[in-house]
Amino acid sequence: MVETQYKAVVKGVRSDNAPELKFTSLFRQKGIISYHSCPETPEQNSVVERKHQHILNVARSLMFQAHI
């Protein structure tokens, strides 16, 4: 879909060793490099960690404002 909709070529996919993202034959066929983070190290995925921290901060603020 990325190739047809956005006219972009996927060069690499980054994941956290999730078994549902192991498309090794497809990656090999398309020439895509698969990057994996180390297991049990969420700090390696900084973008997701920042978003997760933001969501938690917003939730805490809302709970504080609601006097919960």
Side-chain angles (χ1 to χ4, degrees):
M1 187 174 179
V2 172
E3 292 175 358
T4 59
Q5 298 294 321
Y6 300 106
K7 306 286 190 251
V9 178
V10 177
K11 296 179 182 179
V13 174
R14 186 178 308 259
S15 72
D16 60 351
N17 287 323
E20 63 268 11
L21 297 175
K22 293 197 181 195
F23 302 112
T24 53
S25 60
L26 175 68
F27 291 161
R28 195 174 299 118
Q29 176 188 2
K30 296 281 188 177
I32 298 172
I33 299 172
S34 178
Y35 299 102
H36 300 285
S37 61
C38 294
E40 304 298 326
T41 55
E43 58 274 2
Q44 287 189 348
N45 194 347
S46 60
V47 174
V48 172
E49 287 301 309
R50 282 193 305 271
K51 288 182 181 182
H52 185 252
Q53 183 178 9
H54 174 74
I55 290 170
L56 290 177
N57 289 340
V58 169
R60 283 188 203 101
S61 298
L62 291 172
M63 291 175 67
F64 180 75
Q65 289 294 323
H67 301 290
I68 295 178

